[in-house]
Amino acid sequence: MLTVIGLPLLVYGFAEAAPIAAAAGALLLAVFVVTALRSPAPLLDLRLFRDRTFSSAAAVVFGMGVALLTGSDDYWWLSAVQVVRGCGIGLTTTPALATGLVSVPKERISHAMPLFAMLQRIGGSFGTSALTAVVAARLAAAPGAAPKCPQRTDQ
């Protein structure tokens, strides 16, 4: 429940530059981390992050989720980038997951895979939020981007 509320608040706070929402989300996630680390059988076993190999692979998976977006390119460039991106994801996802799972005992694999999946989705959410913020800022700064209200002349 803490992550269900905490993650959206954190992403919303990041996307909308809403520090209260981001702080509330971070606080809820911190409570989740403390609870998970104290639990003998947590829903997500965060103790896996103690292993440097697993943590490195998790950072790569998160980064791949963030790096899926751009906001200023034309259609043909985006199409070409998507082809290269698809090949890149195919060539990096499996090695990143395999590298991360090498150090995980077999009985804990069922805890590791959901962490990777969650980090990839969260990375995608952060990437989407960042893209939205960039596009909104560019639209606001573009000349003539915002419609102007007509001035009343009968006053």
Side-chain angles (χ1 to χ4, degrees):
M1 186 64 157
L2 294 170
T3 56
V4 171
I5 298 170
L7 285 174
L9 276 174
L10 185 64
V11 172
Y12 173 78
F14 176 73
E16 298 295 324
I20 294 173
L27 178 65
L28 289 172
L29 291 175
V31 171
F32 169 75
V33 168
V34 169
T35 304
L37 291 175
R38 290 183 178 172
S39 173
L43 180 62
L44 292 173
D45 190 359
L46 301 180
R47 293 177 195 95
L48 292 169
F49 287 104
R50 291 179 181 157
D51 183 270
R52 293 178 77 183
T53 304
F54 181 84
S55 295
S56 297
V60 169
V61 170
F62 178 81
M64 288 184 331
V66 171
L68 299 177
L69 302 152
T70 181
S72 63
D73 300 319
D74 65 19
Y75 176 76
W76 294 107
W77 176 248
L78 285 175
S79 297
V81 167
Q82 292 291 14
V83 169
V84 173
R85 176 186 149 275
C87 293
I89 287 174
L91 293 171
T92 57
T93 300
T94 301
L97 292 175
T99 299
L101 294 175
V102 164
S103 61
V104 176
K106 287 181 183 180
E107 65 274 1
R108 295 180 73 193
I109 296 284
S110 63
H111 291 279
M113 290 307 294
L115 285 171
F116 281 139
M118 181 185 74
L119 287 170
Q120 188 175 26
R121 301 312 181 279
I122 294 169
S125 295
F126 273 96
T128 301
S129 298
L131 174 63
T132 302
V134 168
V135 169
R138 286 188 181 181
L139 287 175
K148 295 183 179 180
C149 297
Q151 298 291 327
R152 290 185 61 173
T153 58
D154 61 337
Q155 293 180 349

